[in-house]
Amino acid sequence: MKKSVLFGALTLAGLAAGAAQAATLDDVKARGSLNCGVTTGLVGFAAPDANGVWDGFDVGVCRAVAAAIFGDASAVNFVPTTGQTRFTALASGEIDMLARNTTWTFSRDTDLKFDFVGVNYYDGQGFIVPTALGVSSAKELDGATICIQTGTTTELNLADFFRANNISYVAVPIETNAEGQQQYLAGACDAYTTDASGLAATRATFENPGDHIILPEIVSKEPLGPLVRHGDNEWGDIVMWTLNALIAAEEYGVTSTNVNELAAGTDNPEINRLLGTEGELGAMIGLSNDWAKNAIAAVGNYGELFEKNIGENTPIGLARGLNAQWTNGGLLYSPPFR
Amino acid sequence: MAITTDPPVQGFRLSQLIYDTRYRSMTIQVVAMILLMLFFAGLVSNTMTNLASKGKTFDFGFMGRPAGYEISQSLIAYDAVTSTHARAALVGILNTLLVAFLGCILATILGVLFGVLRLSRNWLISRLTAVYVEGFRNVPLLLWIIAIYAIITESLPAPAAFRTGEASMILNDSVAVTNRAIYMPAPVWGANSTILIAVFLLSLAGIWAFRRYAAARQEATGQILPVLWVSLALFFVPSILFFFILGRPVSLDYPALTRFNFEGGMQLRGSLLALWLALSLYTAAFIAENVRAGILAVSKGQSEAAFALGLRPNRTMKLVILPQALRVIIPPLISQYLNLTKNSSLAIAVGYADVRATLGGTTINLTGKELEGMLLMGLFYLLLSLLISGAMNIYNARKQLVSR
Amino acid sequence: MTQNLSYVRAAMIDQQDPPLTQKGAVRWVRENLLSGWLNILLTVLSIAAIWYVTSHLLHWFLNAVWNAGSLTECREVLSVLHQVGDNSGACWGVIRDRWTQLLFGSYPPAFYWRSILAMILLVVALMPVLFRDKVSGKLYYFSAFYPFLMPWLLWGGSFWVPLLAVAGFGVGYVALRLLTPVGGAVLGVVGAIVAALVWWIVAMTPINDALHRAVANMRIEGARDALIATQDGLAPRIAQIEADRDAVTAQVAVAVAAKNAIYAPLATEQFRRSVGPVLDEVAALFDGLGATSTQADLAAAYVGAHRLLLDFAPARAPEGMGPLLEQIKTTVRVRVTEDNLADAQEAVAEIGALVAQARGLTAANAMSDADLATGQAAFLGAMRELTALRETQTRIGAELFRMTEERRGATTLLRNIDQRAANIAAHPGLLAAAEEARAALPESVALLTSADDLPEGLAPADVAQLRDALRAEAALASNEGATFSIYYEVGRVGLQPVPSASFGGFQLSLIIGVAGIAMSLPLGILLALGRQSNLLIINKVSVGFIEIIRGVPLIVWLLTAQFLLNYFLPPGTEFDLVLRVIIMVTLFASAYIAEVVRGGLAALPRGQYEAADALGLDYWKSMQLIVLPQALKISIPGIVNTFIGLFKDTTLVLFIGLFDPLGLSNTIRATTEWNGIYWELFIFIGVLFFIFCFSMGRYSLFLERKLQRENR
């Protein structure tokens, strides 16, 4: 048993961070809220509003999991993590899950002892350049100066891409995205590179977005997904199937507005099992039977979540692209609920 | 008749350890020593247990393994694939030393300048200097570093502006000031250049010898030799002469505008420039206050006496005021240098690859050896601080008034 | 004989005014600004510097936008207000939207009063130190109690926690009283320290837990009903406020649509007005070209056109204009970047035709100045209305957030209470299972408390067994946690707790700074005395500590707090990150305070020490009664300066993931609304720091002067 020194109560046995190593669900239930690691702020994916209420695409995943467990999407403590602290926070049990645009890689999954439970956004690293530069492909950037956030996989991808194409570049390491935007706009670098979703968000804030183009090359695969500690498979299942429920809900046409209606029973057995009117799927993962219904009612299905936070009608304006359902030529493919 | 007797000889009693002032200090020290050793033993044992519970070991072997990450600025040869973590740390250390060294020089110059200006009888300039000093002293350095980096990128022209003719290179097309870097010509050392360097070093030695001779002669005869002119001549003439005799062994590599950037020559990158300027301006604000206090500390009678002796104002400054003011200025100056060196660890804000970024940042992240990495980094800063304060204390001791 | 001497003055001449150059402003200017060639040069340079700065910044500062909900809206307002010319301007809307966040972080707004009260009481507690001659000495008691009061106010918890902490001193005092007659002063002091430490480290936690448990057991019957009542009461209120929120959201949508309707024609007009003259300029550039023009002239014309047109985006262009403009821009760009200059005739024809066509479009559908003014006024009115609506929206959102949090707390507690009996029944079994599993672990994994980062070469069977043991331990921990949380929640008599993660902004900077300085004072004084001591070991230890701390930058110490502090503590102890930072900052500050106090000790005349010795006072008495009171008084300015330095340095906690004002500025930029905003946040933060540090600095200067006067 670990002891945690807190103000107010001085010590709180077990309750606090670091207690759980295995039975995460019991711990979350006892605590009454989910500790979810998010970024300290990334446009469209996670940011607190003026009241300190977090919102965004990654935040939606956290809220969906909380709704699945408690039936209450607000039962989440958002723990902001930096690129450096995110894995420590997860490994030490300070957070129960991490939904922080983290790329699923072999070494993170195995060597760092985490389990990625799925992909909530298929991203890739791209480049943005001013139209005035007259560049139409990243391969024409030989000798260019490129702004890049330090301490991320983007740095390694960039090196790989340029080495593979046998061209040179000058890297300008920057600390935050805001600094990167500012450096790029002032012309201190010819191109800015980060995840394509981030580039779209960045471009949307420019005074004249038309003067900048995002180059067609995507130099890396960046499947971003939520992850949990390795070893607690029951907990991993809950997060994984909550995400799958959101994806499946879109496929079957279940939305936050019609979910209550559909939960009364339909003639599609798949929907019935998903929403808990048939079978005992909830009990199998230690939750109530209407877990998926609660998650969908709270945050909407995957498509709704996407459209609300980063979709084409938001300032960020991302197209679905790879993140469309498999039926629409995308990569989203939820295993069946049976 | 009084009889003096020796006090009764008593055996040593245990309570004397506490009550007898002869032994008490010893007791306290022994107790303190034991407590200290207990503390360290506890610390080490806790650390061992905690390391073991995380399955980690304590060894420095990781320093010999390849680093595998790029460093944006390096004074020595460094290659991401083959260079070790130790070399990456060395690159960081050299970068820290570079910015600290440059910063100390510029901060001193600016600090003295602003300190004197603040005492100026010109109302406007003394107010302006006051605004500068208070502005820098009362706002966090981190904010200034970020702001100055942003100002540099916003206000200096981008290389693209040189192509369209909105900006042009200065100093006869040899230096380009851009918001990425300042590009300058770099010397290319050809054959025979070693001879030239030797000549230059010899002329430096010559200057030093002449100065000594002139000082000795002034002491002996009162005759003043034209030190400045002779020094300047010695500095330039032999080197230039040999430069042509040897057939121009040193040439310059000029930066030239290519598709995206300037290439060739030397460059002073924007991040280093911003960090350097911010550290210098910030520290100079503190030094300016020290200089002002130092000058004010010299009593007015001293300058009046100097004038009464018929010394001209600049000689009064050089021979009377400054030597006395320096004694007051130097000790706080040392601590300002130390502060500047330590503050250079804020390089993180502009992405400059100092020792905290290489050894204390990426290396720790990649290897998970936080205990070892932090220990090495702490030791480096500690040694650096001790060296600076040691060197300056020696200097200080020499200049200090010998009280009789 | 009287003689009338005509050259003797009979009456004094009235005193004359000094010459014009020797009085008033003129004299002042002559003496202060123009007294010599160097001075004149400096004056000119200063005026040039002031002019340079103001000419660049004044426009930006004056064009301030306060009514805007996002950066895009700011830009809309600016472009509407400034139809022609430079339409850059400060967007203070972000400060209006987020100033409470910058001050308090995500501290619950309902408890802002606690934070503000803590600050006011801080000032009261500092009164006797800062203005010792003006306030009653009795306030010292309050000052002494304040360090215990402040954490309670800010972090919440039961009221007895600070009292229990203070009781440690009482225990120490009792021990001193009891032991001194028995074993003398030294034993008394040592006993007092040991007793206090035992109280704090060993006794306090169980007592605190027992108190919570006792109160909880008394209240538990009523608590369940009260919780159900709370839940029932909250449900309709939440429904109501959700309805309110939806209504306001709809209103905002309507207001945004209205604003956009007003904006569209104004934007087009702005574009038309500003692009017209520019097109003329472009045309003029090429008109000047002729048969005699050289390639260089041609290049200059193209470059000039490129520069003029760079800032025009076709998005808001009048109909048909966008593609045309784009065509001109592309033509110019291609010519410039590809070094493919046409001959003069061709260029004039090419650009001329396009420009004429564009000019034709801009002349059409013009808006009269009166219409424009009406439109501008309407737009600003719409923005004002929108901003007011958004503020209501934020207020409702905050209220809703508070209520849902309250409901969540009630639900959780209720669930735990309902499971309490089962949990308690299960506890012995879980405890036995956990202990058994741990005891049965093979030696290779017996010490491990985590299965995340295992050493290499372990047998898979051992790892599996370790996982089982960890699972049993975790089950036990969450069982105990559930029970304990009931005691903690139900048994609390006092303030609602606020987790450290909610702390941020200037509040966090102040807390770290104040706590660091306050707690470092005693340690710093001891270190200073140690450094002066002639006991070799004590002296060397003090010097070593001070030099090590001062030799390493604060950021390294903060990283130590983040990465390493948990290694140094007994296994299983975990500290809150904020607490870890405060500990580290305290150690850091104590080295600096020690140097300041040492300066004070050194500045004291030797005679004071000798006088104390002559009176026969022992070391502690002489320090306490004679030396320290005087030395500390001299040191106060230095301590204040150390505080200013420390307060500024708290911005570094940004690098270990805490939300100081600078960290918050990054978070604010991560919202869709304020992404891309830069200087406004930095300026606001900088100004706040400046006001605080500058006034503290002035105070310390005032104190120094006063001390100089007193010592004269």
Side-chain angles (χ1 to χ4, degrees), chain A residues 1 3 5 7-12 27 30 32-33 40-41 43 48-49 51 70 74-75 85 91 113 181 205 208, chain C residues 75 101 155-156 161 204-205 208 313 394 398 408 412 415-416 452 478 480 484 488 562 572 574 579 659 667 669-670 675:
Chain A
M1 188 182 74
K3 284 203 172 162
V5 181
F7 279 105
L10 281 177
T11 57
L12 262 187
D27 226 43
S33 58
T40 50
V43 184
D49 71 1
N51 291 321
F70 300 107
S74 68
T85 61
K113 302 287 186 294
Q181 288 179 19
T205 67
N208 297 322
Chain C
R75 289 187 181 140
Q101 215 168 25
W155 272 271
V161 177
M204 198 169 143
T205 310
N208 180 35
T394 307
R408 167 153 73 97
T412 310
R415 188 173 358 175
N416 283 336
D452 291 327
S478 56
E480 286 177 347
F484 194 88
Y488 177 55
Q562 189 191 21
E574 278 210 11
L579 196 53
F659 283 126
T667 304
R669 281 192 207 99
N675 189 1

Side-chain angles (χ1 to χ4, degrees), chain C residues 313-436:
Chain C
R316 298 193 304 267
E319 212 169 317
M321 179 94 185
L324 207 55
L325 212 58
E326 202 59 359
Q327 201 181 341
I328 302 178
K329 276 170 90 168
T330 317
T331 313
V332 169
R333 186 170 61 232
V334 168
R335 295 280 191 204
V336 173
T337 52
E338 294 180 4
D339 283 341
N340 171 25
L341 300 169
D343 72 54
Q345 297 295 331
E346 198 184 322
V348 172
E350 182 184 56
I351 302 291
L354 289 170
V355 167
Q357 212 180 336
R359 204 71 185 94
L361 278 174
T362 58
N365 57 45
M367 198 188 261
S368 78
D369 283 352
D371 286 351
L372 185 67
T374 329
Q376 283 174 335
F379 182 73
L380 290 183
M383 283 308 300
R384 247 195 316 278
E385 206 172 305
L386 187 58
T387 313
L389 270 177
R390 284 221 181 89
E391 271 173 8
T392 320
Q393 199 179 18
T394 307
R395 215 170 34 244
I396 291 178
E399 189 63 15
L400 185 64
F401 185 48
R402 189 181 68 75
M403 284 188 186
T404 47
E405 289 291 296
E406 201 182 329
R407 181 176 61 178
R408 167 153 73 97
T411 316
T412 310
L413 188 52
L414 202 57
R415 188 173 358 175
N416 283 336
I417 289 178
D418 286 342
Q419 289 170 357
R420 180 168 169 241
N423 275 337
I424 290 176
H427 183 254
L430 288 172
L431 183 63
E435 280 172 356
E436 206 175 299

Side-chain angles (χ1 to χ4, degrees), chain B residues 134-147:
Chain B
E134 294 299 339
F136 270 86
R137 275 160 56 99
N138 289 311
V139 172
L141 172 61
L142 186 58
L143 207 54
W144 278 121
I145 293 179
I146 295 174

Side-chain angles (χ1 to χ4, degrees), chain A residues 132-156:
Chain A
L133 205 59
V135 169
S136 58
S137 156
K139 289 179 183 139
E140 295 167 29
L141 287 174
D142 191 8
T145 300
I146 298 174
C147 277
I148 184 157
Q149 255 178 292
T150 50
T152 55
T153 46
T154 47
E155 216 172 344
L156 304 175

Side-chain angles (χ1 to χ4, degrees), chain C residues 611-618:
Chain C
D613 287 346
L615 284 175
L617 298 176
D618 67 11

